[in-house]
Amino acid sequence: LARVKVRQVARGKVRRPASTANLVQDTVSSDLLDRVDTFVLDCDGVLWEGATPIDQSIDALRELERLGKRLFFVTNNSAKSRSAYVEKFATLGFEAKQEQIITSAFVAAQHAASLNLNGSVYVVGGDGIRDELQQAGVEVAQEPPGGLEPACTAEEFVNDLVPDSNIKAVIVGCDSSFTYRKICYASRCIQAGAVFISTNLDAGDMHGGVLMPGAGACVGAICSALGRDEPDVNCGKPSSIMLSVIRDSRGVDLSRAAVVGDRLDTDIMLGVTGDAAVTVLTLSGVATVEDVAQAAADG
């Protein structure tokens, strides 16, 4: 675990842990545990990889609960709803409550609801986004003419993909069925005035030791189609919107919280931006010791 200051890794002062469970067993001091009431934990690359739990991660969660620590699971993954995550935790042998889970899909849906759109939202992404929108009372738009056909000609773009005037926002997450036609329709909706919301900007996630494209790749394609650098709103870590949900909606005092994750640009930055008591980088996901050393060298 790389803790608090990335410069410590560059100087060789932080040892590499065998597993996430070392967070409780012998890597974290009793002084640190006294200073921390809450653990804000990422999921992919920290607790599991795909369907496989990372060694002893569930034992670590049980131990933190035994010590009386509050646990929140904050993920940029928008593929599943919070209820689906509750089920996933159950299959891994841990009882998580829905209010403990904060996904980028949930945050995006809550943000869309707060805009009082008086219309629908077109979704480029997984069912997690649609489910959370429905739970928030926000209408989900239908697919455009041609449905999920991947191709789109210039004639179809002009004549068939005319945006539904009821669409007031477009939410983009990681879409495993991402197509050129979706880029075309999303870009037309946004050009017609729809708010462009991203669930997160993660370029990818590690699967089997290989980086697989994530939501950032889908968001980036639509940004490129629009000739712009970023969406109107980003709801994933380390955004201010995500921080607000953690602090205000869940009542987390980050000055007494440990933020745990496997990415420097999202998880650790969330903790730094939110002035967390401590940030913990696990070496079981995306970031490596070399990445930390480079970040330290870059200042």
Side-chain angles (χ1 to χ4, degrees), residues 36-52:
V36 169
D37 301 322
T38 304
F39 281 76
V40 177
L41 300 118
D42 185 37
C43 297
D44 300 283
V46 175
L47 302 178
W48 56 67
E49 181 181 324
T52 305

Side-chain angles (χ1 to χ4, degrees), residues 74 76 102 104 107 235-237 239-246:
V74 182
N76 272 358
I102 303 172
S104 63
V107 176
C235 294
K237 295 179 285 187
S239 71
S240 59
I241 292 176
M242 178 67 85
L243 269 174
S244 177
V245 171
I246 294 169

